[in-house]
Amino acid sequence: MRSQFIVVLVSILAAACSYQNVLHNANNLFLRGESARLSGRDSLASERYTEVVRKTGEALRDRPQGEWANEALVLHGRARLRLGELREAQAALADAVRLNSPESDEARVYLAAVKAEIGDVSSALAGVNRACLLYTSDAADEGLGVDLGGRRII
């Protein structure tokens, strides 16, 4: 009985570590894609972003309600945005916003970038404003001062 419990516990821990490792690797791939993009190696950047989409997509399929699902959604959306897959980026980022976790503000900003790319500038500005208001509101709730653009708020 005890050995069965240990086997189950080790299996659960291994699955959690595996999921976190996938996200860590996907994040590193995204950063490598950004580096390639900034140095003008667009083909390599696209390859990296495509790998990020694959890895985060697999992680989300395996554990759609997992502890790191929102982080995976944001990363997935960012990679789709870089690939120019705007509908898919918008869907992933909107899902991340709906989960209302700490990554939701980041998702709102990238969702605004998607809307700007689509040409919906008024929605993009509204999204950025909402993310900024929520950010400063959260800081006020926590008693923190926030510095936005050189002005100390609160």
Side-chain angles (χ1 to χ4, degrees):
M1 177 83 160
R2 181 180 161 111
S3 63
Q4 289 175 337
F5 173 75
I6 291 172
V7 168
V8 169
L9 181 63
V10 168
S11 297
I12 291 170
L13 290 173
C17 290
S18 172
Y19 190 81
Q20 181 61 28
N21 189 45
V22 167
L23 286 180
H24 176 77
N25 290 339
N27 192 52
N28 284 341
L29 283 167
F30 186 86
L31 294 174
R32 289 173 35 208
E34 289 290 90
S35 178
R37 181 183 63 83
L38 292 171
S39 64
R41 296 178 295 168
D42 296 336
S43 171
L44 180 60
S46 289
E47 287 178 27
R48 297 298 174 254
Y49 298 138
T50 300
E51 290 179 60
V52 171
V53 167
R54 185 181 57 75
K55 285 186 176 292
T56 55
E58 288 172 2
L60 289 164
R61 274 188 299 280
D62 291 345
R63 297 190 56 197
Q65 304 301 321
E67 182 179 341
W68 301 285
N70 206 17
E71 186 180 339
L73 281 167
V74 172
L75 192 54
H76 189 87
R78 290 175 63 197
R80 294 277 192 174
L81 173 61
R82 289 293 190 215
L83 289 168
E85 300 170 356
L86 301 179
R87 288 180 198 249
E88 294 86 351
Q90 187 172 11
L93 294 165
D95 285 348
V97 168
R98 275 191 287 278
L99 289 175
N100 201 25
S101 75
E103 292 85 9
S104 293
D105 289 340
E106 180 183 6
R108 279 185 185 85
V109 171
Y110 284 105
L111 188 54
V114 169
K115 289 181 179 184
E117 283 288 318
I118 291 170
D120 188 355
V121 177
S122 61
S123 290
L125 288 173
V128 170
N129 285 337
R130 176 144 173 80
C132 289
L133 287 172
L134 291 172
Y135 180 76
T136 56
S137 174
D138 288 347
D141 290 346
E142 295 172 11
L144 302 172
V146 178
D147 185 358
L148 293 177
R151 297 181 101 177
R152 185 114 176 120
I153 298 174
I154 303 173

